[in-house]
Amino acid sequence: MAMSEKLTKPRPDKQTITVTINGQQYAADVEPRKLLADFIREECGLTGTHLGCEHGVCGACTVLMDDRPVRSCLIFAVQADGTDILTVEGLAKDGELNTLQKAFMENHGLQCGFCTPGMLITATDLLSRNPHPTEQEIREGISGNLCRCTGYQGIVKAIQSAAEQTK
Amino acid sequence: MKPAAFTYFAPTTLAEAITLLQEHEDAKVLSGGQSLVPAMNMRLARPAVLVDINKLADLEYIREQGGGIAIGGLTRHYDVEVSALVKERCPLLAAAAHHIGYPAIRHRGTMGGTVAHNDPAATLPIVLRCLGAKVTAAGPNGSRSIDMADFSLGIYTTALEAGEIVTEVWSPVIPKGTGWSWQELTRHAGDFALVAVAATLQVKDGKVAAASITLGGVGDGPVPVDDAVAALVGQPATVESFIKAGAAAAQKVEPESDIHASAEYRREMVKVFVRRALVEALSRAQGGN
C-alpha cells in the first residue's frame, strides 16, 4: 500500500495511526476496535498474517511488535501506533527466501500453509533468543502455534535445520 | 466475530488513568489484553470505554525492595520469567511464569492484569498466594496494600474497588535452603492447568519445619491448604508424609466438574501433584536451589 498516506477519510470516532511494518510506514484512520491483525490485512494489504481463532490460542496471527512476538488478534491497531512490526512478508529479502523459510520448504514444514506465517515468526523469535535450541525447547517454543496438517515433525526439523545452518 | 465499538483512551500518567476510570462508569482497564481482548472478540465483554495503561512505562519494573522483589503492574510475564533477579531470589515465580500460555502471550500479559483478572486457573495468583505476596492498588483515594490472602474473593472477583489499578505486586524472597516447586497438570503445554500446586518447604533435622501449599484449578481462585500444611509440620520429610499431605489436601477441596476434567479426577490429581510438589521441593531444599 502507499507510503505515509491516509488510506481512508477521517471520521470523529476514528483516529489516525502510523505503523511501521517491515520497514515501511503505513498510516490510516481506524476505529479503536479495529484489531491489529485486521489493520495489517485490510488497511495495509499484507494478508500473510492469518486469523484462525481470534482468541489467542492458535498462533496464526503472530507478528513481532517492537521485537516481541505478539498475537495481533489481541492487540488493537490503535495500540500499535508508532511501533515497528515484522510480518511474514518481511522475512524474504529482494524476493529471496531466508534460511528459515528455505528450511521449511526443504523439510516439508508446511502443507496448506495456514499456520506457516505464525510458525515462521515464532521460530524467528525463538532462534533470535535461543540460537541452538534442543528439540524440546523447539516443541515448547511452537506450542502456541497450532497446525492441523503436518503433525509438527517437519516443522521441528525445519527449525532444527535453520538453527544448524546459522552456526 | 469482531469486538463491539468502544471509546479508547491511552493515558500517559497514572493519575490520568485513575481519573478516566472515575469519569466513565462502564470502563475497563486494558493492560496485557490476553484475557480481556479474547472476551471482547467473542463479545462476552462489551465495555463502553477502554483505558489502555500500556503507556504507563513507570509501572514496568522488577527490583529488590523491602527484603523482597517488587514487580510493577505493567511488567510482562516474559520479563519475570527471564529476570536474573527473580530467578535468583524468587525462583518459584520465574519457574511458574514460564508455564503461562506461550511466548506470544507472555510477552504481552502483565502481572497487574493477571492479578486483577483473577482467573481461577491463572498461574501467578496461585504462586503469589503461596509466597505471601502483597498487592498495591492505586485509586481515587490513594494507594493501598492488600495481602494476597485477602485479595481473591471469587471467580474473576478481587478486593479491588471500582477504579483501582494494580500498580505493584511485592513478594518476599525465598530464603536460601528453602525448597520450592511448581507442578501443573495440563493436556497440552501452555494450557490453563486442570490442577496446579505451588509449594515451599523448609526442612530441619530431617523434619518438616515449615511449608506453604496453594492449589489451583480446584476452586474459585487460589486455594491454600492450611490444614494439610499444619499436619505436615513436624513430620519426617519423607515421601510417606508427602503422600499423607496430598490425601489431606484432596479431602478439603471441592472442585467443579467441567468439560476439561471431572471433580473426582481433579481431586485425585490433587493427591498426586501435591506429593510431586513436596518431593521436588525437598530435593531443592536438600540440594540447594
Side-chain angles (χ1 to χ4, degrees), chain B residues 24-278:
Chain B
H24 299 275
E25 229 191 283
D26 185 19
K28 285 286 287 177
V29 173
L30 174 60
S31 188
Q34 304 302 279
S35 294
L36 178 60
V37 184
M40 291 179 68
N41 284 350
M42 295 197 254
R43 298 206 176 185
L44 295 172
R46 301 175 63 140
V49 173
L50 280 194
V51 178
D52 180 354
I53 63 167
N54 284 278
K55 291 201 160 103
L56 305 184
D58 288 349
L59 293 187
E60 237 178 307
Y61 57 85
I62 301 173
R63 56 186 180 228
E64 283 198 75
Q65 190 170 291
I69 307 283
I71 299 173
L74 197 61
T75 308
R76 313 289 169 181
H77 300 321
Y78 175 82
D79 294 332
V80 172
E81 178 192 351
V82 302
S83 159
L85 182 63
V86 179
K87 283 199 236 186
E88 205 220 309
R89 309 302 298 282
C90 202
L92 172 55
L93 202 49
H98 175 67
H99 289 275
I100 299 172
Y102 329 102
I105 303 294
R106 298 198 286 280
H107 275 281
R108 201 70 192 153
T110 64
M111 176 63 77
T114 190
V115 160
H117 182 57
N118 202 37
D119 188 295
T123 298
L124 295 186
I126 301 164
V127 172
L128 295 169
R129 180 70 178 80
C130 177
L131 292 170
K134 293 183 205 285
V135 175
T136 303
N141 301 322
S143 253
R144 63 190 182 112
S145 177
I146 309 165
D147 281 343
M148 270 310 285
D150 305 319
F151 192 77
S152 171
L153 301 180
I155 298 180
Y156 308 126
T157 314
T158 67
L160 288 178
E161 280 164 16
E164 281 188 316
I165 296 175
V166 175
T167 52
E168 180 180 284
V169 167
W170 177 91
S171 170
V173 299
I174 297 179
K176 290 270 179 276
T178 296
W180 57 270
S181 176
W182 169 258
Q183 294 288 328
E184 59 172 43
L185 170 62
T186 56
R187 287 217 171 79
H188 168 260
D191 281 357
F192 279 109
L194 302 179
V195 167
V197 182
T200 60
L201 185 72
Q202 276 178 324
V203 176
K204 197 163 182 235
D205 301 325
K207 289 201 174 27
V208 175
S212 178
I213 304 172
T214 303
L215 306 180
V218 294
D220 288 349
V223 176
V225 283
D226 300 331
D227 291 349
V229 166
L232 183 59
V233 171
Q235 296 301 313
T238 60
V239 176
E240 287 73 32
S241 304
F242 300 158
I243 291 171
K244 286 197 185 121
Q251 278 199 317
K252 288 289 177 156
V253 297
E254 288 172 354
E256 299 275 313
S257 288
D258 64 18
I259 57 165
H260 302 297
S262 69
E264 293 75 21
Y265 181 63
R266 289 181 198 254
R267 201 191 293 272
E268 191 60 30
M269 289 303 104
V270 164
K271 290 185 203 165
V272 173
F273 282 84
V274 164
R275 170 182 51 80
R276 287 188 190 180
L278 292 170

Side-chain angles (χ1 to χ4, degrees), chain A residues 13 15 31-35 38 42 51 53-58 62 65 67-71 73-76 78-79 81 122 125 129 139-146 152, chain B residues 1-8 30-35 37-43 50 52 54-55 60 76 78-79 98-99 101-108 188-190:
Chain A
D13 54 335
Q15 60 187 76
E31 286 184 80
R33 73 189 183 111
K34 183 109 209 181
L35 300 176
D38 289 318
E42 294 169 8
L51 281 164
C53 72
E54 292 189 312
H55 62 278
V57 174
C58 78
T62 309
M65 188 167 96
D67 294 322
R68 291 194 193 252
V70 295
R71 303 296 207 220
C73 73
L74 299 186
I75 295 182
F76 298 108
V78 291
Q79 295 185 281
D81 186 27
T122 294
D125 176 74
R129 292 173 199 275
R139 286 182 178 275
E140 255 193 27
I142 62 170
S143 64
N145 291 82
L146 302 180
Y152 303 98
Chain B
M1 197 178 287
K2 303 298 174 184
F6 55 86
T7 302
Y8 172 81
L30 174 60
S31 188
Q34 304 302 279
S35 294
V37 184
M40 291 179 68
N41 284 350
M42 295 197 254
R43 298 206 176 185
L50 280 194
D52 180 354
N54 284 278
K55 291 201 160 103
E60 237 178 307
R76 313 289 169 181
Y78 175 82
D79 294 332
H98 175 67
H99 289 275
Y102 329 102
I105 303 294
R106 298 198 286 280
H107 275 281
R108 201 70 192 153
H188 168 260

Side-chain angles (χ1 to χ4, degrees), chain A residues 13-74:
Chain A
D13 54 335
K14 291 192 170 186
Q15 60 187 76
T16 310
I17 62 170
T18 307
V19 185
T20 305
I21 307 178
N22 305 327
Q24 190 165 321
Q25 279 207 335
Y26 296 82
D29 293 328
V30 294
E31 286 184 80
R33 73 189 183 111
K34 183 109 209 181
L35 300 176
L36 176 59
D38 289 318
F39 169 78
I40 290 170
R41 292 174 54 80
E42 294 169 8
E43 270 73 9
C44 307
L46 298 168
T47 53
T49 300
H50 297 158
L51 281 164
C53 72
E54 292 189 312
H55 62 278
V57 174
C58 78
C61 72
T62 309
V63 299
L64 295 189
M65 188 167 96
D66 288 343
D67 294 322
R68 291 194 193 252
V70 295
R71 303 296 207 220
S72 61
C73 73
L74 299 186

Side-chain angles (χ1 to χ4, degrees), chain A:
Chain A
M1 279 268 159
M3 298 255 278
S4 302
E5 252 183 43
K6 295 231 170 125
L7 301 175
T8 52
K9 281 210 185 100
R11 277 179 25 196
D13 54 335
K14 291 192 170 186
Q15 60 187 76
T16 310
I17 62 170
T18 307
V19 185
T20 305
I21 307 178
N22 305 327
Q24 190 165 321
Q25 279 207 335
Y26 296 82
D29 293 328
V30 294
E31 286 184 80
R33 73 189 183 111
K34 183 109 209 181
L35 300 176
L36 176 59
D38 289 318
F39 169 78
I40 290 170
R41 292 174 54 80
E42 294 169 8
E43 270 73 9
C44 307
L46 298 168
T47 53
T49 300
H50 297 158
L51 281 164
C53 72
E54 292 189 312
H55 62 278
V57 174
C58 78
C61 72
T62 309
V63 299
L64 295 189
M65 188 167 96
D66 288 343
D67 294 322
R68 291 194 193 252
V70 295
R71 303 296 207 220
S72 61
C73 73
L74 299 186
I75 295 182
F76 298 108
V78 291
Q79 295 185 281
D81 186 27
T83 64
D84 224 298
I85 306 236
L86 176 74
T87 70
V88 65
E89 288 91 345
L91 295 179
K93 288 284 175 273
D94 301 319
E96 171 145 359
L97 300 179
N98 74 6
T99 306
L100 181 67
Q101 288 171 305
K102 284 187 188 156
F104 266 67
M105 206 173 67
E106 288 155 8
N107 290 277
H108 206 47
L110 68 156
Q111 290 181 29
C112 82
F114 195 82
C115 75
T116 310
M119 282 290 183
L120 288 170
I121 295 293
T122 294
T124 298
D125 176 74
L126 171 68
L127 294 176
S128 77
R129 292 173 199 275
N130 185 1
H132 304 293
T134 63
E135 183 183 329
Q136 185 58 28
E137 285 169 337
I138 292 174
R139 286 182 178 275
E140 255 193 27
I142 62 170
S143 64
N145 291 82
L146 302 180
C147 174
R148 299 294 281 129
C149 295
T150 66
Y152 303 98
Q153 191 54 45
I155 295 170
V156 172
K157 278 193 155 154
I159 296 170
Q160 284 174 319
S161 167
E164 289 275 308
Q165 292 177 60
T166 327
K167 261 196 171 114

